[in-house]
Amino acid sequence: MILYKTIALKFGHHLENEKPVDMRGPDGQLVLSEEIRQHWQGVLGDLSSARIYLLDHNAANYLDSLRMDVQGMPWEDRPESDIQGYVRDVELPRDLIWIEYDDRRLWEDRVAREITTLGEEELSNRHQRGFLFDNRSSDKLSVRLFSAMTDTIFFDAPFVLEITKAQDGRPDFDNASWQPQKTVIAGLMRLGLLASEASVREHFEEHKGHLTYEMVIGFMLFAALATREDDLLSQQVASLSTSQAKSARKFGKAWMTEVLKSHVTIRIGPAAERHLTEQMARLRFEKAQAVSRATPTEHWVAEHERRYSNGKVVRVRAHKRGQPAYRDLPTRVVGPKMQD
């Protein structure tokens, strides 16, 4: 199931059939049923206005590898300003954008690229993940993260990340804040998922870490679409089949046809495929080099003197040393760079 469709169907069904009850919020105050309905309506309204992008696992893996080119590997000590400076110059094509991908497949690809290790049990807990970018305000960029638990159950966004915009209208990542969504947090508390202070802290910190790290993939998507025509392929697809749309109209479910209009699927193109092929070939080559006692790659040694302990001095002429370069290793294909 596509996550944004799951959210739309669930909240639409709630608005038609559910009567929410007042709940105790995180501050001890009551969250009224009308506030909960307003939240459902707000999410549905945002999804109906947003441009929906669905990344297949190869596209998500490719964009993640481009991020690593800028941000560096997890074990590298690069300053955060590198990726922040890159991201802030990316133009978002719409004021409301939804970006979704299969989080499990992405982590499987990360394991294959040997940038992390993750067990099968940890992988099994990962499903679809969706980010809602809200760029409507002239003062801030807001980002929310929704995570699927199963095909029909998902975690709503307990926090909204608000990034203040600088005078040039670009996001200022040094000036960001977290805005709690009390209706969502109250619901988690009512379900007993936040039973202790430790569980609350752990859940929220994990959510914040996932949002700030993974939302970069969205910016890399628009950088790639804007700078290289053959990196990614996009296709507009109807979110509902003809029979589903007809059934929705028949039973008066107008919200289904209004929210679930269409989405854009993103797949890799020829350049991105070459990039990933080169990346895996280079990884295999470097692993083989690391475990072997291979001589250095062929290179020139300048003319020099060699002095021995007995006082003898020998002049060594310039010469080549080492083995010729591995001919089967593809030439490196780099990802898109931002235009000056």
Side-chain angles (χ1 to χ4, degrees), residues 175-237:
N175 193 359
S177 61
W178 294 95
Q179 301 303 320
Q181 303 298 287
K182 62 180 183 178
T183 57
V184 179
I185 297 174
L188 293 172
M189 293 172 62
R190 188 167 185 269
L191 292 172
L193 298 177
L194 303 178
S196 66
E197 184 177 340
S199 64
V200 170
R201 189 183 309 110
E202 180 182 356
H203 178 78
F204 290 164
E205 289 304 315
E206 182 179 20
H207 178 85
K208 292 176 180 179
H210 288 168
L211 194 160
T212 52
Y213 186 75
E214 303 292 9
M215 74 174 186
V216 176
I217 291 177
F219 292 97
M220 301 309 295
L221 167 64
F222 300 117
L225 289 175
T227 57
R228 294 279 291 277
E229 293 183 358
D230 58 350
D231 274 21
L232 298 172
L233 305 176
S234 59
Q235 181 183 9
Q236 189 89 11
V237 180

Side-chain angles (χ1 to χ4, degrees), residues 139-141 162-166 170-177:
D139 300 324
K140 62 189 178 184
L141 168 66
E162 293 186 351
I163 306 167
T164 302
K165 293 181 181 178
R170 305 287 186 177
D172 178 8
F173 292 95
D174 293 327
N175 193 359
S177 61

Side-chain angles (χ1 to χ4, degrees), residues 104-176:
R104 175 182 177 131
R105 294 297 298 271
L106 176 58
W107 279 91
E108 287 175 343
D109 288 329
R110 284 171 173 167
V111 171
R113 285 188 277 134
E114 298 193 347
I115 64 173
T116 188
T117 56
L118 216 60
E120 186 61 32
E121 183 176 353
E122 292 175 293
L123 287 171
S124 67
N125 293 326
R126 297 181 178 275
H127 303 276
Q128 291 293 112
R129 177 167 285 175
F131 294 84
L132 186 62
F133 293 80
D134 186 347
N135 201 32
R136 289 174 291 187
S137 171
S138 60
D139 300 324
K140 62 189 178 184
L141 168 66
S142 301
V143 189
R144 283 178 277 175
L145 166 62
F146 297 77
S147 299
M149 302 304 295
T150 67
D151 285 347
T152 58
I153 302 174
F154 62 91
F155 271 136
D156 200 340
F159 284 90
V160 176
L161 173 62
E162 293 186 351
I163 306 167
T164 302
K165 293 181 181 178
Q167 291 184 345
D168 61 0
R170 305 287 186 177
D172 178 8
F173 292 95
D174 293 327
N175 193 359

Side-chain angles (χ1 to χ4, degrees), residues 209-316:
H210 288 168
L211 194 160
T212 52
Y213 186 75
E214 303 292 9
M215 74 174 186
V216 176
I217 291 177
F219 292 97
M220 301 309 295
L221 167 64
F222 300 117
L225 289 175
T227 57
R228 294 279 291 277
E229 293 183 358
D230 58 350
D231 274 21
L232 298 172
L233 305 176
S234 59
Q235 181 183 9
Q236 189 89 11
V237 180
S239 295
L240 293 175
S241 66
T242 302
S243 61
Q244 288 173 330
K246 182 178 179 180
S247 179
R249 288 190 293 268
K250 177 181 178 181
F251 291 100
K253 299 182 182 295
W255 57 268
M256 285 183 63
T257 54
E258 290 173 0
V259 177
L260 303 174
K261 291 174 287 191
S262 66
H263 58 264
V264 179
T265 59
I266 302 292
R267 299 180 175 86
I268 60 172
E273 190 171 353
R274 290 194 299 271
H275 176 94
L276 292 177
T277 299
E278 178 277 333
Q279 186 180 66
M280 294 308 296
R282 184 167 294 276
L283 178 62
R284 290 193 296 268
F285 172 74
E286 290 173 351
K287 284 181 64 177
Q289 290 291 94
V291 299
S292 70
R293 300 183 63 183
T295 57
T297 302
E298 186 177 50
H299 62 282
W300 276 101
V301 177
E303 183 176 333
H304 62 281
E305 290 183 347
R306 181 176 296 167
R307 298 177 180 274
Y308 296 88
S309 58
N310 61 3
K312 182 179 178 181
V313 178
V314 175
R315 178 165 293 278
V316 180

